[in-house]
Structure formats: structure tokens, C-alpha cells
Amino acid sequence: MSKFRKNVAVLIFCLLAFSLFAENYTVQKGDTYYSISKKYNISLQELYSANGIDENDVLKVGQVLKISGKSTAENTSEKSTSTVSTAKTSNYEVVAGDTLYSISKKFGTTVDNLRSLNGLTESSVLKIGQVLKVPSTEKVATTTGSSSAGSTKTEIKQNTNVTPSAPLEDVRTYDTNKKGNVNLVWPVKALDVTYVSGKISGVAIETERNATVSCIKAGKVIFVGPYRGFGQVVFVQSDSGYIYVYSGLDKITVSNGDKVGFKTKLGIAGIDALTGNPQIILMVYLNGKVQDPALVPRDK
């Protein structure tokens, strides 16, 4: 067999092997990368890698994603290797400004793993002085082989010392001299309204956990999904040309192209990774210029 034909044969084999252990999923309204990864019990990175995308790619209704699978085939006539996490932990005391996300980044783990280690749920609230278990990674690789002389077992321990990364830096600039009016019509029930500027320019609206995010001005949805630096967002353009950007959502319930009216549900407010509080940020633009969200048109 020529080298060219051999390479083609290998490529076809790889494609067939992947198709055996992968399935397709058609994106539905309200889906996010996170919800799909949880549904199929895979990591976000596995989902991104299987589809050649990253967190900044827009998820669209009807889009077909490959869901990577894992082969259950085992070669019982040869060696089998398994890696087991020993789940060794150390203690960490929560300080002001900590969130599960920031702690997970410090110790090279995930938010879900921290919740699992500490018996926390999505609604659990961290408290200053609270002691959490954090992973102290140690893996044990066990290789078992069979031969006519009997079986052998070798244990290899690998210790990984995790150096905490620097805390997340808040790049937003807060205007402490200008407070927003919580009694105005906002997308969520406003507990506190703070003006922010910089890359993100608008108002940060602190709200209740799992608060509904609603449209404050009728228009057309022109973008939904993750947007670099803004998290999960919904862009709504009104007939008069104003673009309302609802950012920091945990879940989106509208689709690109939808016509939305006053009080239409756009999604659910997320938890800010830096403050640990439920909040969204509202930004408004007209002809590419930042507008004061308190002064822009609203429906009633």
C-alpha cells in the first residue's frame, strides 16, 4: 500500500472511530454550552474541542453539536490502566470578595467540584470565615498486567502541588459618587444600582438570586449568547435605534430574531464572578455611543 493510501486509510479509521463514540445534539431554545455539557456529563472543554469552537462562539437554535463519547471497549488480553483521584483535601478559609469561581481558579479545580467536596448547592451562599475543603491533587495510576507466571501490580503515585493563581482582578471602574435610582423600571428587581465604566459601561444591578430578567423596551433580539468580556448576553434593538445590552445572565430564554415586548422574559440573572452576588449589567447604546441607562426610553 502506498504511503498516500495508508494515510487516507488511517484518517478514515479515525473518523469512523470518532463517530462510534459520539452523537449529535441539535441546539434548542434556551440552551447554553454549560447546560448542554451538564446534560451529557462532559466538560465544557470537551464540548468545545469536539466542535472546534470556544466560549466566544455564538450558540444558535438548530445548530448541530457533536457530543464526544468515551469508548467502553477494553483490551482484556493486554494491560489495563486506571487513574484514581485520591480526593485529598486541605482547608481554606473564605475571605471578603471570595466566590466559588475565584476559589476554584486559585486551586485549579471547578466550581462543581468545590460544591461536591463541601456539600454545597447552587443556592448556597459563602460567608466570610467559612472553612471550605479544597483539592490537594494526588493521582494514583494502577497498571495490572497478566502473564503465564501470574499477575503483577504496580502503583505509581504522582503528587501535584497546586500554586494558587492571583485573585481575579476587577477591571470595572465604579462611580461611587453617582448612585442609581432603584425605583426606576429595571430589567430585574433592583436591590442596588451602581454606575460602572470602562470596557463595560452602564449600571450594575444587584438583585435576588434566580431573578427573572425582563425587557424594559420593546424591540427585536439581534444577538444572544456568550460575548467576549460580557458573559451571557441578550441584545435588543428598539424601533428608535437604541440597543439594550442585558449582560451577565445565567440562562437565556429568547432566540436571535425574536420580537420581544415590554416585560418579556429574557432569561435568569447570573452570579457575578467577582462579587459573588446575583446581578446583571445593563448597557445602552445609540449610534455606537454609550447612553445613561437611567435616561433611555422605557415602556410602561
Side-chain angles (χ1 to χ4, degrees), residues 185-186 214-219 260-265 298-300:
V185 175
W186 295 111
S214 301
C215 184
I216 64 171
K217 181 65 179 176
V260 291
F262 179 55
K263 291 296 183 182
T264 295
K265 182 179 178 179
R298 286 167 165 73
D299 292 326
K300 295 181 179 179

Side-chain angles (χ1 to χ4, degrees), residues 15 22 27 86 118 124 127 171 227 237 273 276 279 293 299-300:
L15 291 174
V27 176
T86 61
N118 294 279
S124 298
K127 298 179 180 179
V171 298
Y227 195 82
Q237 185 170 25
Q279 79 169 30
D299 292 326
K300 295 181 179 179

Side-chain angles (χ1 to χ4, degrees), residues 123-251:
S123 60
S124 298
V125 178
L126 293 184
K127 298 179 180 179
I128 296 175
Q130 181 178 351
V131 177
L132 296 178
K133 292 180 181 178
V134 293
S136 178
T137 308
E138 180 178 285
K139 295 182 178 179
V140 179
T142 304
T143 303
T144 305
S146 298
S147 65
S148 57
S151 62
T152 60
K153 186 175 182 180
T154 304
E155 289 192 353
I156 304 172
K157 292 188 177 182
Q158 177 183 353
N159 292 315
T160 303
N161 295 320
V162 180
T163 302
S165 59
L168 292 174
E169 181 182 359
D170 194 344
V171 298
R172 298 171 294 206
T173 301
Y174 297 85
D175 188 345
T176 56
N177 297 317
K178 186 178 182 181
K179 294 296 292 181
N181 182 356
V182 297
N183 296 315
L184 289 177
V185 175
W186 295 111
V188 291
K189 180 179 180 180
L191 303 180
D192 187 60
V193 179
T194 305
Y195 279 84
V196 294
S197 60
K199 180 179 180 180
I200 297 177
S201 295
V203 289
I205 309 170
E206 188 175 333
T207 187
E208 299 172 339
R209 189 173 292 272
N210 296 321
T212 295
V213 180
S214 301
C215 184
I216 64 171
K217 181 65 179 176
K220 180 180 180 180
V221 177
I222 60 173
F223 180 87
V224 298
Y227 195 82
R228 185 183 295 275
F230 298 94
Q232 293 283 347
V233 302
V234 176
F235 285 58
V236 176
Q237 185 170 25
S238 70
D239 292 339
S240 56
Y242 284 87
I243 297 177
Y244 297 73
V245 181
Y246 305 82
S247 69
L249 280 67
D250 179 59
K251 182 179 180 182

Side-chain angles (χ1 to χ4, degrees), residues 32 40 42 54 68 77 97 100 120 156 176 194 200 217 219 225-226 264:
T32 64
Y40 287 94
I42 60 175
D54 62 33
S68 60
S77 63
L100 285 176
L120 302 176
I156 304 172
T176 56
T194 305
I200 297 177
K217 181 65 179 176
T264 295

